[in-house]
Amino acid sequence: MVVDQSTETGIDRIFQALADATRRDIVSRVITASHSVTSLAEHYDMSFAAVQKHVQVLERALLVTKERRGREQLVRGRIDTIGRAAALLQAYEEIWAQRALRIDEILAENPKKEQS
């Protein structure tokens, strides 16, 4: 599987962002509906600033977007970016499935000889 450098950097950011449980939880919340950073912060035992930093990491990874509405910043999930990550994982799964099939073929070609 060949990936160009700019795409590889983007994929690295996605998986680095998703490596944290709080950020994964934020993504799961904003993928279904927009939330303000303030309302997101209410769900976590950390400061508003800490939640804001988590959102910034997700934004750099293109997993969320922020839009200012009056005094609030609304956070929305980006399903297209999640789709990119899912496609990469699917490609790896296909590689492993092909390897497993090849192992089956090799075993079928060389059956174990029974000893009497």
Side-chain angles (χ1 to χ4, degrees):
M1 173 172 29
V2 177
V3 179
D4 69 46
Q5 189 64 33
S6 62
T7 302
E8 193 169 306
T9 301
I11 292 293
D12 287 348
R13 281 192 185 136
I14 291 167
F15 285 106
Q16 287 168 355
L18 293 173
D20 181 84
T22 300
R23 290 193 288 265
R24 287 192 305 274
D25 190 65
I26 290 170
V27 169
S28 70
R29 290 177 191 279
V30 300
I31 212 71
T32 56
S34 299
H35 291 272
S36 68
V37 177
T38 303
S39 71
L40 286 171
E42 294 170 0
H43 295 281
Y44 307 104
D45 188 24
M46 62 182 73
S47 69
F48 173 84
V51 173
Q52 198 168 28
K53 285 182 182 181
H54 281 297
V55 170
Q56 287 172 347
V57 170
L58 293 169
E59 193 175 24
R60 275 195 306 272
L62 303 177
L63 287 161
V64 302
T65 59
K66 282 193 305 192
E67 177 186 338
R68 184 162 290 285
R69 288 258 176 98
R71 296 175 59 189
E72 292 186 318
Q73 292 184 52
L74 292 180
V75 181
R76 290 193 174 109
R78 292 199 45 189
I79 196 70
D80 59 320
T81 303
I82 293 170
R84 285 179 58 211
L88 179 65
L89 292 174
Q90 179 65 38
Y92 286 135
E93 183 178 353
E94 289 174 17
I95 290 168
W96 278 102
Q98 290 301 317
R99 286 182 178 180
L101 286 174
R102 183 64 186 131
I103 290 169
D104 286 345
E105 291 169 1
I106 290 169
L107 291 174
E109 292 170 4
N110 301 314
K112 193 175 189 180
K113 299 199 183 208
E114 293 184 30
Q115 294 180 356
S116 6

